[in-house]
Amino acid sequence: MNNNPIGMLKDMFGFLEIDDTFTPDISEKVRQAAPIPKNKALESFLSQPHPLKSILSPLLPTSFREKLVNKIRYLNRGKPKLSPAVRKQLIEFYREDILQLQDLINRDLSQWLKY
């Protein structure tokens, strides 16, 4: 699947009788939402010059510092939150589709319908 994602999607489109001339944009930019910092002050501390960083910098090897900063940034990232009003609107819009999918795959998807 990862070797030829466009080919796999075209096969799936053919099976689903979707226009096979359609080519979706599967670039990384489209597939992933940009993570946002959970704590903006921490992100600012990591990104901007700070006296504490200049004191600690000579004490820690560069490679360790970079790994530490990357790990902290990774742990400080979160997904954008969906507002309750938009979530409710989407659930109502897709309610019938979710119920049909639930029946089709014989799985309980009731969690998807909760506000």
Side-chain angles (χ1 to χ4, degrees), residues 30-55:
V30 172
R31 290 189 293 151
Q32 290 185 346
I36 57 173
K38 294 176 189 174
N39 184 319
K40 291 180 182 177
L42 178 58
E43 183 64 26
S44 177
F45 174 77
L46 295 172
S47 303
Q48 305 296 322
H50 192 277
L52 181 60
K53 287 174 25 181
S54 60
I55 292 169

Side-chain angles (χ1 to χ4, degrees), residues 1 33 38 52 69 92 95 102 111 115:
M1 182 167 117
K38 294 176 189 174
L52 181 60
V69 167
E92 290 306 316
R95 176 175 298 284
Q102 178 176 265
Q111 288 295 114
Y115 299 117

Side-chain angles (χ1 to χ4, degrees), residues 8-72:
M8 186 272 306
L9 287 171
K10 287 198 176 277
D11 286 347
M12 185 172 51
F13 292 161
F15 174 77
L16 296 172
E17 298 178 1
I18 297 173
D19 179 12
D20 63 355
T21 61
F22 171 71
T23 302
D25 182 355
I26 60 168
S27 66
E28 196 68 23
K29 173 180 77 174
V30 172
R31 290 189 293 151
Q32 290 185 346
I36 57 173
K38 294 176 189 174
N39 184 319
K40 291 180 182 177
L42 178 58
E43 183 64 26
S44 177
F45 174 77
L46 295 172
S47 303
Q48 305 296 322
H50 192 277
L52 181 60
K53 287 174 25 181
S54 60
I55 292 169
L56 293 176
S57 185
L59 303 174
L60 300 171
T62 304
S63 62
F64 177 77
R65 253 189 352 256
E66 289 173 356
K67 286 180 184 177
L68 181 62
V69 167
N70 287 338
K71 184 66 172 178
I72 292 170

